[in-house]
Amino acid sequence: MNSKVKKYLILSGLGAALLLVLALISFFVVDEIKGGAVGDGQNKYELIIDSGEPSSSVVRELASAGMIKSSVYFNYLIKFTRAGNKIKQGVYDINDGMSSRKILDVIISGKVKLITFTVPEGYNNRQIGDLLVTKKLSPSREEFLKVTQSQALLTKYNIPANTLEGYLFPETYSVPLNYPLERITEMMIKRFYKKLESIPEAKGIKPADLHFRVVLASIVEREAVRKEERPMMAGVFLTRIEKNINLESCATIQYLFDKPKKRLFESDLKIVSPYNTYMNGGWPPGPISNPGLPALEASFRPMKSDKLFFLLKPDGSHYFSSTFKEHLEAKKKFIDVLYQ
């Protein structure tokens, strides 16, 4: 190989390398100009990508929200990286401090924003359904209630009832948008059984016996205000059952209303329903709420005594009494004076 050919090859290699460097510089310059961050991250945007939504629609939304500099460049980026079919549905937290590349990485990674919801202790299934509607996790209360009546779930978890009332553990959960209601419901059921493992008395319990404890816990949960009173309250209900005295629980009456009343009246206690424990003896047909762990513990470890009555005092505690006469005297002292 002569010197001219060598020189030509060297110059050609240098030229190619120079062109490559210039191309890379040009790319990064264009990437910064057209695909760099719009702002400093102060402006935030919740991007919702539905199932099957085309990438072009996503790009238009990002441009409209002021999250990208150029929709043309973003579309090019999608095409260049072959990411069109990789964009995943869900809810994403985007801000204007993110470059186009960063935004694209986020929406193809599937690292969606999780929706967090908290089920308070004592919520019934209707209230949980309403909560999930407000969080956009259920289209309606009715759709959620259909799931809670699923025979497949009742059979799978050996629950001897027509509904999952009482077995949806009250706690904080986080799920993606469009997460199936069946899976949300199962999360709560599994949490219930996981928490139950912390109660030694519940080990190996038969489904029917557990259901009785859940019914008791659900009533205690709705009646109690202070945690330390729950075992005593559970004991009162068990003693009344043993003595063949109606439970007369206001909480079971409240369960009949779509929304609990601030105060029950005499007419409310005459509503004809199997859940009316003023008119009917024994336990109600099923749980009236989804109890938390303290109420469940109280149902397994009740504090037995001669107490048969209790009433709520203005300070949030309860007065327990052994006789109806004592109960009436306490009512005059703590309750009737409030309405004089």
Side-chain angles (χ1 to χ4, degrees), residues 178-190:
N178 296 323
Y179 203 62
L181 279 176
E182 290 79 4
R183 294 181 69 178
I184 292 175
T185 304
E186 279 208 79
M187 282 176 63
M188 291 189 276
I189 299 172
K190 289 178 180 178

Side-chain angles (χ1 to χ4, degrees), residues 80-151:
F80 179 75
T81 57
R82 298 180 181 179
N85 295 324
K86 299 177 183 177
I87 297 174
K88 297 177 176 64
Q89 72 175 77
V91 181
Y92 298 89
D93 281 329
I94 305 297
N95 66 72
D96 63 0
M98 300 166 67
S99 67
S100 291
R101 282 180 170 277
K102 177 61 177 177
I103 293 174
L104 184 58
D105 286 343
V106 168
I107 62 178
I108 67 175
S109 69
K111 295 179 181 178
V112 297
K113 172 186 176 182
L114 295 178
I115 298 174
T116 299
F117 66 94
T118 300
V119 178
E121 294 179 343
Y123 256 32
N124 60 42
N125 288 359
R126 289 168 295 183
Q127 291 172 304
I128 296 176
D130 291 340
L131 173 63
L132 294 181
V133 170
T134 63
K135 292 291 184 175
K136 299 181 180 178
L137 292 170
S138 178
S140 66
R141 175 203 282 188
E142 291 67 31
E143 285 298 311
F144 174 69
L145 292 180
K146 283 181 184 177
V147 176
T148 65
Q149 296 164 4
S150 165
Q151 190 57 53

Side-chain angles (χ1 to χ4, degrees), residues 4 32 40 56 94 155 190 197 212-213 272 281 289 314 327:
K4 287 184 178 181
E32 179 58 32
D40 58 3
S56 57
I94 305 297
T155 301
K190 289 178 180 178
E197 292 176 3
F212 150 67
R213 296 292 176 181
V272 178
S289 74
H327 179 66

Side-chain angles (χ1 to χ4, degrees), residues 10 42 57 62 76 117 134 251 292 305:
I10 292 171
Q42 293 296 313
S57 173
L62 287 169
Y76 164 77
F117 66 94
T134 63
S305 69

Side-chain angles (χ1 to χ4, degrees), residues 196-246:
L196 203 63
E197 292 176 3
S198 67
I199 304 177
E201 294 85 349
K203 186 177 181 180
I205 191 170
K206 295 179 180 179
D209 294 332
L210 172 60
H211 194 64
F212 150 67
R213 296 292 176 181
V214 174
V215 172
L216 174 57
S218 75
I219 300 173
V220 170
E221 185 67 81
R222 292 297 298 175
E223 290 278 9
V225 177
R226 297 186 176 182
K227 178 180 176 180
E228 64 272 13
E229 292 182 343
R230 288 169 181 165
M232 175 72 82
M233 201 168 280
V236 168
F237 287 127
L238 287 170
T239 301
R240 291 180 75 93
I241 290 292
E242 290 169 2
K243 293 181 177 293
N244 201 29
I245 302 172
N246 290 2

Side-chain angles (χ1 to χ4, degrees), residues 221-283:
E221 185 67 81
R222 292 297 298 175
E223 290 278 9
V225 177
R226 297 186 176 182
K227 178 180 176 180
E228 64 272 13
E229 292 182 343
R230 288 169 181 165
M232 175 72 82
M233 201 168 280
V236 168
F237 287 127
L238 287 170
T239 301
R240 291 180 75 93
I241 290 292
E242 290 169 2
K243 293 181 177 293
N244 201 29
I245 302 172
N246 290 2
L247 293 180
E248 296 186 348
S249 166
C250 292
T252 63
I253 301 294
Q254 291 282 16
Y255 185 67
L256 302 176
F257 302 108
D258 192 57
K259 293 183 179 180
K261 288 187 172 184
K262 290 184 177 180
R263 186 187 180 194
L264 292 176
F265 295 95
E266 195 69 29
S267 58
D268 296 323
L269 307 184
K270 296 177 181 178
I271 296 174
V272 178
S273 168
Y275 283 93
N276 187 335
T277 55
Y278 279 82
M279 297 179 64
N280 303 300
W283 301 103

